[in-house]
Amino acid sequence: MARIEAHAAIGAIDGGGVCRIALTDADRQGRDQLVRWMKELDLEVRIDRVGNIFGIRAGITDAAPVMTGSHIDTVATGGRYDGNYGVMAGLEVVRWLDARGRRTLRPIVVAAFTNEEGVRFMPDMMGSLVHAGGLSPDAALDTLGTDGARLGDELARIGYAGDMACGAIVPHAFVELHIEQGPVLEAEGLAIGAVQDLQGISWQEISIVGQSNHAGTTPMRLRHDAGYCAAAIAVFVRDLARRYGGSQVGTVGVLDLHPNLINVIAARATLTIDLRNTDEVMLRRAEAELEAHLRELEKKEGVTIEARRLARFEPVVFDAGLVRRIEASARARGLPSRRMTSGAGHDAQMMARICPAAMIFVPSERGISHNPREHTAPAELANGASVLLDVMLALADEPPTA
C-alpha cells in the first residue's frame, strides 16, 4: 500500500486520480521510481527495445522463469490501481520471499509493459504484444502518437530505449493481478475472480464526408449531413449490442464534427467504434453488420464513409490449469471466488500467445475504473496479493521437464 500510495503521487490529478500517459515525463518519473524499488530488492533490471521493464530475481536453476506484472501507464483521468496494482504486488511477492530467505527453483520476473492503455500510441497492450511477437519492434518504434510524436523518439527522450531483444524472456507461466474494473465481484460479495477468458476487441475509426450547408435554408431531403450519419452509427452500435446480448458490447467513445457550429450542417465527422465479444464468430458477425450499415448509410445519405482499423484482437481463453490454481488458493484462504470473463484488454492476453497465462481479479468499488474515484479496499488488495503469492510460489518451484 505504501508503494501504491507513493506511485500515485507521480502524475497526480484532482480527486485522487493519476495522469501518467505512456512515454510522457510523468511516465518517466514513474519508471524511475519502479526501477529504484526493483534495485532495492536486488532484482536485475533489464529493459528491452520498446521500453518494457523486467525485474529478475534469480532462481536456484536457470529454468524458464515465472512472470507477473502489468503496466504503470494510465489514461488521462485514471485511478491509482489500474495496472499499477499488479506491478506493485509483484514487488511485494519478491519482498515477502526475501524477508524469509526463500529461494525458488525458477527465477521470478516482475514486468511493467510499455503503453498498455494505448491512449497516446495505438494499439493498446503494445509492449506485451511486441514481447509476444504480435508486432515487430521496428513497427512499434515507428508508431506516431496522437500528438504526432514518434514512439521511438519519446522512448529515447525519457531514457528508456533499452537494448535487450524483445521477447528474450519466454516465461514458464504468466499471472497478472488486476482490479476487476467492473461491478460483478462486489455485487456478488466475492473476494477473488479467476479469469478464464477475455473478450476479443475490434477498434475502428470512422470518417464521414458530407456537405456543409446552411442549417436554416437547406431542406431536410437535400442534406448530406455527416453529423446525422455519425449519430445514426452510434445508435446502430448500441442497438446491435443489445440485440446480440450475451457478452457483446459496443461503444462510440470519440465523436468530432466539423465545422462544429450550431447553424451549419456538419461537413465532416469522425467517430470511433469499440466492439467486444468473447465469441470470435459473433464478433466477426457484428463487424460485418456494421460494415453493411455503413454502406447503406453512405448510399442513402449521399456521403462518403471510410473505416480505418485501429486494433483487432481475437478472444483469449486462459490456461485452465492456472485458473484452477487461482481457485484453489482462494479456497484454501477462505476467500469466496468465481470464474470470470474480462471485458477489458490486458497484457495477459498477449502473453497467452507464448506461455500459459491467467489473471486474478479483486473487486472494484461500484465497478468504477479509468476514473479518479477508482477504489479497492486495502484488505481486498492484500487478498489478491496473497493469492498471487501462492500461485507464483507453486509455479516457481515446479522442476523443469526432462
Side-chain angles (χ1 to χ4, degrees):
M1 289 307 301
R3 286 197 185 97
I4 289 173
E5 183 73 20
H7 219 245
I10 301 172
I13 58 176
D14 291 343
V18 180
C19 177
R20 199 164 50 234
I21 294 172
L23 311 190
T24 58
D25 289 345
D27 187 31
R28 173 184 55 77
Q29 293 165 17
R31 287 165 173 264
D32 289 348
Q33 179 61 77
L34 173 62
V35 168
R36 282 194 293 270
W37 283 330
M38 285 180 167
K39 289 182 176 179
E40 287 173 5
L41 291 167
D42 293 324
L43 299 180
E44 177 190 0
V45 178
R46 301 290 303 278
I47 301 170
D48 72 11
R49 289 185 59 207
V50 296
N52 293 324
I53 300 171
F54 303 97
I56 305 168
R57 184 181 193 260
I60 297 171
T61 72
D62 291 329
V66 179
M67 185 182 290
T68 190
S70 193
H71 61 99
I72 64 169
D73 66 310
T74 73
V75 296
T77 55
R80 60 179 55 194
Y81 305 108
D82 176 7
N84 201 45
Y85 166 50
V87 178
M88 300 307 145
L91 296 182
E92 184 61 15
V93 167
V94 170
R95 187 208 61 78
W96 190 96
L97 293 171
D98 287 350
R100 289 155 182 80
R102 179 72 160 81
R103 298 189 68 194
T104 56
L105 195 63
R106 295 174 180 272
I108 287 176
V109 179
V110 180
F113 292 106
T114 295
N115 188 44
E116 193 272 351
E117 294 292 1
V119 295
R120 186 184 182 198
F121 301 96
M122 287 184 280
D124 52 349
M125 287 87 72
M126 182 184 282
S128 52
L129 179 63
V130 172
H131 186 87
L135 180 67
S136 75
D138 288 342
L141 292 171
D142 284 337
T143 300
L144 297 180
T146 55
D147 55 358
R150 179 178 172 273
L151 186 142
D153 295 337
E154 288 298 273
L155 263 181
R157 184 185 68 81
I158 67 170
Y160 279 89
D163 57 4
M164 187 174 81
C166 296
I169 302 173
V170 180
H172 175 59
F174 180 82
V175 184
E176 182 173 3
L177 174 62
H178 210 281
I179 59 170
E180 181 192 346
Q181 299 180 284
V184 175
L185 291 175
E186 182 184 56
E188 297 183 5
L190 302 175
I192 298 293
V195 184
Q196 62 183 351
D197 57 8
L198 187 147
Q199 288 184 328
I201 300 174
S202 171
W203 281 4
Q204 296 184 66
E205 180 184 77
I206 310 298
S207 299
I208 307 164
V209 178
Q211 185 179 69
S212 183
N213 221 326
H214 196 291
T217 63
T218 309
M220 299 302 290
R221 72 182 186 280
L222 299 178
R223 296 183 179 210
H224 307 289
D225 188 345
Y228 163 75
C229 292
I233 293 168
V235 171
F236 176 84
V237 167
R238 186 172 180 86
D239 287 347
L240 180 147
R242 285 177 164 172
R243 176 160 43 86
Y244 275 42
S247 68
Q248 181 67 55
V249 293
T251 305
V252 171
V254 173
L255 176 58
D256 180 64
L257 301 181
H258 179 83
N260 204 34
L261 299 172
I262 190 170
N263 60 347
V264 180
I265 298 166
R268 297 194 303 273
T270 304
L271 65 153
T272 59
I273 297 176
D274 179 327
L275 297 175
R276 307 191 190 204
N277 201 310
T278 55
D279 186 322
E280 174 66 11
V281 172
M282 294 298 289
L283 184 56
R284 288 183 180 272
R285 187 179 301 171
E287 290 173 314
E289 278 203 39
L290 173 62
E291 173 64 19
H293 177 69
L294 297 181
R295 301 288 74 83
E296 179 184 351
L297 194 62
E298 186 178 51
K299 182 178 179 180
K300 181 181 177 183
E301 298 299 323
V303 299
T304 300
I305 301 178
E306 294 184 357
R308 180 169 70 95
R309 177 78 67 195
L310 299 178
R312 180 59 163 86
F313 302 119
E314 292 188 358
V316 172
V317 177
F318 286 126
D319 184 81
L322 289 184
V323 174
R324 287 193 295 270
R325 285 179 186 267
I326 293 166
E327 290 177 315
S329 168
R331 187 165 52 250
R333 289 181 175 273
L335 301 172
S337 69
R338 62 164 286 174
R339 294 193 176 191
M340 301 190 69
T341 292
S342 172
H346 296 287
D347 292 311
Q349 79 187 82
M350 302 308 170
M351 296 302 292
R353 300 181 179 200
I354 60 171
C355 68
M359 296 188 70
I360 304 164
F361 274 175
V362 295
S364 292
E365 186 175 289
R366 292 178 289 168
I368 294 173
S369 185
H370 283 190
N371 185 313
R373 292 183 295 155
E374 176 181 276
H375 182 70
T376 297
E380 293 172 328
L381 297 172
N383 287 338
S386 295
V387 172
L388 178 67
L389 170 66
D390 293 344
V391 175
M392 292 288 291
L393 192 55
L395 290 169
D397 280 335
E398 286 185 343
T401 55

